[in-house]
Amino acid sequence: MKLSKNFTLAEYTKSQTALRHDIDNTPNEEHLQAATALFENVVQKVRDRFGPTVINSGYRGPELNEKVGGSPTSQHCYGEAVDIECPGVANADVAQWIVDHTEFDQVILEFYTPGIPDSGWVHVSYKANGDNRKLALTAMKENGRTVYKTGLIA
């Protein structure tokens, strides 16, 4: 099944952890609709602009999310979020383009190191109900803990 022109449900739900632990990572209908909206409104636009787009982390059902230590409120669990990279394009540039050219709920530039274009990744979420906050954040380590700072810091 396709979520958009260039993305399939299989690549959005693929998880090595789920495979290793025999976890069914199939979204329900509501989560599938949310994922389709995410891909049509954000991820496909990124693909159209930058070319090949790699999904690092996609949908995570409850059992998988618990196994990987994800937050129980993670938008990944509802089909609303994906972590991506575009090979050959700085993750900071991808994040900024999303902020400037799409409707989104959150964009988080995660663990990016300035001067190392392919460091980190871009988390992006989208709410199909239209209640998108357009929140741009940067996740980084400070004193061994993950902190989130407002804005894209690159």
Side-chain angles (χ1 to χ4, degrees), residues 55-133:
I55 297 171
N56 295 338
S57 181
Y59 178 75
R60 297 193 303 250
E63 187 178 356
L64 175 60
N65 192 58
E66 184 176 335
K67 183 62 85 176
V68 301
S71 165
T73 60
S74 170
Q75 288 180 283
H76 286 275
C77 300
Y78 303 101
E80 295 177 340
V82 65
D83 297 344
I84 59 173
E85 293 182 72
C86 298
V89 181
N91 286 317
D93 293 343
V94 174
Q96 188 63 59
W97 188 89
I98 292 169
V99 167
D100 292 343
H101 296 96
T102 72
E103 183 69 21
F104 63 93
D105 185 50
Q106 288 187 83
V107 168
I108 308 174
L109 181 58
E110 299 205 42
F111 308 104
Y112 180 77
T113 302
I116 306 175
D118 64 349
S119 62
W121 59 90
V122 178
H123 167 97
V124 63
S125 64
Y126 178 86
K127 292 186 177 190
N129 67 7
D131 191 20
N132 290 296
R133 299 171 286 176

Side-chain angles (χ1 to χ4, degrees), residues 4-7 39-40 42-53 86 97:
S4 68
K5 181 175 80 176
N6 294 104
F7 295 95
F39 277 79
E40 288 177 350
V42 183
V43 185
Q44 183 62 49
K45 291 178 180 182
V46 170
R47 167 68 166 80
D48 291 344
R49 171 63 179 93
F50 295 108
T53 303
C86 298
W97 188 89

